[in-house]
Amino acid sequence: MSLIAAAVQPILQSVFGILAPLVSITPAVWLLPIVSTLWHFSLSLVGVCTVILVLATAARTMTGSPVNWLKLLVSLALTAVLALLSMRICIFLIHLNNALIASLAARVAIHLSPISLPTQILADLVLWLPYLLLLIALTVVYLIRAIELMFLATISPLGMMAIAWPETRRVGTRYFEELVVVTLVQTVQAFVLVLSRGLSGLEGPGPANALVGLAALYLMIRAPALFRRLISGSGRSYPLWAAAAQWLNF
Amino acid sequence: MVQHFLLNVISTVQAWLGTASVLFLLWGGYLLWTSGDNPAQRSHAWRHLAAVVGGLVVVVFAQDLVRLVYSWAGQGAPF
């Protein structure tokens, strides 16, 4: 093993220690006490906001503005149902993601293992350092995803409430898209890993395998942005959910 | 503590709207008083009064309405 490889090995081990559990499964964020407490707070905030919206509608009635009471009642009922179900929706998406990864793992083992890199000096310089940097970046991506998932779970009642009211539906659909992207992107990343293993096996030394490994790591880092663009469309305003809403006449 | 503050906000908004509704009622009464025998103005004044009374009822029962919807959805109101 060359000097660079020897120097990089301990850092790699620590990076793998952090990264390994984050790659194969999404943790049950809803079990964290802080998430649960903040979710209940968000839920009570939704209740208060709903009362304020009803009061605003009453004020509009008093000033003689036309008010559609049926729409108001539908929005109220939707708010209550979606806000109460918000955490279950998050849990469902996380379970779905874990199930998809488990089904992928049933075919190919999903784990990051150090790729076998050539040990010549030139190859060290060209491959080891980018490999290490990409792994660190990937760890950061996974950590950010975990934090973002916790945040999205805590504000889920507010996000769902935004879907229920026509004035804030755009924000609500944006929230839901983000929730779907953040939750299910792990499946996309696992798929990239499986695909790269299919291409190279990531076994054995060789520049070709090493390059496929590096490309896979790069794609895994880019996956959230690419998946987000796929869901929400590039430059367009949320075509997927807009189409769904139009179809439901919502 | 925050929840207490938010409930205070609701109470304050309700109080303001209650006060406003009294003013709207007075205005409606004035419209009715000055409408004379003009049926269009009388009808307008009655519609105004009905809207104010309807709004006032919603203001008074806003919290109960939301609690009712939440209990229908299967859980007590979260505030």
Side-chain angles (χ1 to χ4, degrees):
Chain A
M1 189 179 286
S2 71
L3 277 176
I4 296 175
V8 163
Q9 278 299 336
I11 307 171
L12 272 181
Q13 290 307 320
S14 4
V15 172
F16 272 116
I18 302 168
L19 195 56
L22 294 170
V23 171
S24 55
I25 197 164
T26 300
V29 290
W30 63 91
L31 294 177
L32 295 171
I34 188 161
V35 172
S36 177
T37 310
L38 288 175
W39 181 80
H40 278 100
F41 174 70
S42 292
L43 193 63
S44 61
L45 207 60
V46 164
V48 171
C49 288
T50 313
V51 175
I52 289 173
L53 281 168
V54 172
L55 290 174
T57 311
R60 282 188 63 193
T61 308
M62 283 196 277
T63 54
S65 304
V67 172
N68 190 335
W69 287 101
L70 186 65
K71 266 194 172 179
L72 176 78
L73 278 175
V74 169
S75 294
L76 274 179
L78 264 178
T79 302
V81 170
L82 289 176
L84 292 173
L85 287 178
S86 58
M87 188 53 96
R88 287 188 192 183
I89 292 169
C90 293
I91 293 171
F92 166 75
L93 285 172
I94 291 170
H95 279 321
L96 177 69
N97 172 67
N98 287 343
L100 286 171
I101 290 179
S103 70
L104 279 173
R107 296 170 193 280
V108 182
I110 293 175
H111 60 84
L112 277 171
S113 54
I115 53 177
S116 304
L117 294 166
T119 50
Q120 292 85 0
I121 300 291
L122 183 63
D124 279 348
L125 289 174
V126 174
L127 295 173
W128 270 111
L129 292 179
Y131 179 59
L132 181 65
L133 289 176
L134 284 173
L135 266 184
I136 291 170
L138 187 62
T139 309
V140 171
V141 166
Y142 271 106
L143 287 174
I144 288 172
R145 173 184 177 267
I147 293 165
E148 199 178 353
L149 196 58
M150 282 166 60
F151 175 71
L152 290 173
T154 55
I155 63 160
S156 57
L158 289 163
M160 294 297 162
M161 181 196 181
I163 292 174
W165 293 84
E167 294 80 4
T168 54
R169 191 158 294 148
R170 197 179 163 80
V171 178
T173 49
R174 183 77 188 87
Y175 163 81
F176 193 70
E177 281 172 8
E178 192 62 25
L179 183 65
V180 169
V181 167
V182 170
T183 314
L184 297 182
V185 73
Q186 196 182 24
T187 305
V188 179
Q189 289 168 320
F191 183 73
V192 170
L193 204 59
V194 167
L195 201 65
S196 69
R197 275 174 187 277
L199 284 175
S200 71
L202 293 183
E203 307 293 342
N209 281 357
L211 284 174
V212 170
L214 288 176
L217 287 178
Y218 176 73
L219 273 178
M220 285 171 80
I221 292 165
R222 292 280 298 149
L226 295 173
F227 191 42
R228 188 172 286 115
R229 200 174 298 169
L230 180 75
I231 291 285
S232 58
S234 52
R236 289 176 293 166
S237 55
Y238 324 125
L240 188 68
W241 302 108
Q246 200 175 5
W247 183 70
L248 291 167
N249 195 18
F250 187 51
Chain B
M1 190 175 139
V2 178
Q3 202 167 342
H4 187 69
F5 166 75
L6 292 170
L7 286 173
N8 276 343
V9 169
I10 290 179
S11 304
T12 310
V13 173
Q14 276 181 314
W16 275 103
L17 286 175
T19 312
S21 69
V22 171
L23 295 175
F24 279 122
L25 277 175
L26 286 173
W27 175 246
Y30 172 76
L31 285 178
L32 193 64
W33 185 35
T34 55
S35 61
D37 290 334
N38 188 333
Q41 283 187 3
R42 257 185 120 69
S43 164
H44 172 70
W46 278 116
R47 274 204 308 276
H48 178 82
L49 284 170
V52 174
V53 171
L56 186 60
V57 168
V58 175
V59 168
V60 171
F61 293 107
Q63 287 196 42
D64 297 304
L65 178 68
V66 174
R67 282 202 175 94
L68 185 75
V69 171
Y70 270 90
S71 66
W72 169 80
Q75 192 175 311
F79 57 90

